[in-house]
Amino acid sequence: MYLILIEFAKWLENTKWAAKSTIECYLRALMLLDEYIKNLSFWERGVEYPHTIDLEDIEEFAEMQKIKWKEIRTVNNYLAWIKTFLNYCNYVWLKVLDSRRVLLAKVPDLHINALEEKDMKKLLEFMRTDSSKGEIIRMRDFWMALVLVYWGLRVSELCNLKVKERWEKIQIVGKWGSRRLVHLYDDYVKVVNLYLFLRRKLKINSDYVFVSHSNNSKWKPIDRASVEKIIKKAGKKIWLEVRPHKLRHTCATQMLEHWGEIEYISQILWHKNITTTQIYLDYSNDKLKKTQLLIPTV
């Protein structure tokens, strides 16, 4: 990897508090851009010479990615990561393209993909009683699903969750080092305590709550790919299409359906801007209808 990308990765980690998985996304986009420019210029230019990257390079790269991915949001993510790289280059006094000239495509209205309440309960009940798994793995997976649904955690936050003495109210460290308090029902405190008790019986000594039980990574913190696989597999068994982030959406929509206030939901999900949370307002027309019907009739 080029020296400038190594320094860029260090900058993201130390000044932006970016997670390892986030840094990998940035570097992946830049390596794709590098490959494109090298093929275009017969290996005469590339990301290691950032001052040679022009607007035409980036726009043509974006067009190629649109053809490949056919997903505007994916391409916009790449462009946003490239813009951050250009900002970093300016930060270290390299003369590069002004990132403000790189424009993102207009994104169609976001469709919120969440489970309905009956499907949410069906998934949790299945994971609680799944007889195909041993007790400790079943309890771990059920606890993971509860954390995603009731706390609305991101997968990276779940993977980094540390063992606590008390679980009624704990502090979560999120993106960019942000911190927020989350609360848990008493019944679910019993679930995590049982899971940790079973871990102690097996002499699992880890600071992380969720650990792998597979032979090649035994007792190591669980990773994003494993969480994705566990949730998707559970959903598939009961004919539901589910991913971890869908459970985060479910957390938001269920709070809204049960008359949670948007300001508090924003704090629970730890959205940087409340406008991000407001996309959930359009999820349920029934909620809008019920709200309007609160006005007294004459």
Side-chain angles (χ1 to χ4, degrees), residues 110-260:
L110 182 64
H111 172 67
I112 299 300
N113 193 9
L115 293 176
E116 294 183 8
E117 185 174 350
K118 61 181 178 59
D119 289 333
M120 178 194 80
K121 290 180 177 178
K122 183 179 177 183
L123 176 70
L124 292 176
E125 180 61 18
F126 171 77
M127 296 188 75
R128 186 182 70 83
T129 59
D130 186 0
S131 59
S132 67
K133 297 177 180 178
E135 186 178 23
I136 189 168
I137 295 177
R138 184 174 71 251
M139 293 302 298
R140 179 201 64 183
D141 295 353
F142 176 50
W143 173 226
M144 281 198 304
L146 288 175
V147 163
L148 292 168
V149 168
Y150 286 99
W151 289 356
L153 262 61
R154 300 176 177 91
V155 179
S156 58
E157 294 169 345
L158 180 147
C159 293
N160 292 322
L161 193 61
K162 300 285 186 74
V163 175
K164 313 289 180 184
E165 289 186 9
R166 298 185 62 83
W167 288 93
E168 293 84 357
K169 180 176 70 174
I170 67 167
Q171 191 176 68
I172 298 293
V173 180
K175 292 177 75 173
W176 318 119
S178 59
R179 296 173 186 272
R180 68 187 187 276
L181 285 175
V182 295
H183 302 261
L184 194 64
Y185 291 120
D186 290 342
D187 287 347
Y188 296 150
V189 171
K190 294 174 185 175
V191 173
V192 66
N193 286 336
L194 175 58
Y195 167 61
L196 293 175
F197 170 75
L198 293 172
R199 278 187 23 159
R200 286 193 294 272
K201 283 182 67 176
L202 290 175
K203 294 183 169 49
I204 300 173
N205 186 20
S206 174
D207 291 336
Y208 291 90
V209 174
F210 300 110
V211 296
S212 172
H213 290 263
S214 60
N215 291 328
N216 58 345
S217 58
K218 209 164 191 177
W219 312 152
K220 290 182 180 178
I222 200 163
D223 57 31
R224 294 171 61 95
S226 298
V227 177
E228 287 269 350
K229 184 177 178 181
I230 289 165
I231 299 299
K232 286 175 71 174
K233 189 174 180 180
K236 192 173 181 181
K237 286 184 177 180
I238 53 173
W239 306 98
L240 291 175
E241 186 179 340
V242 192
R243 295 184 62 188
H245 205 72
K246 190 171 188 174
L247 298 184
R248 178 171 161 84
H249 287 321
T250 302
C251 174
T253 55
Q254 286 303 308
M255 285 189 287
L256 192 61
E257 285 290 321
H258 291 87
W259 306 97

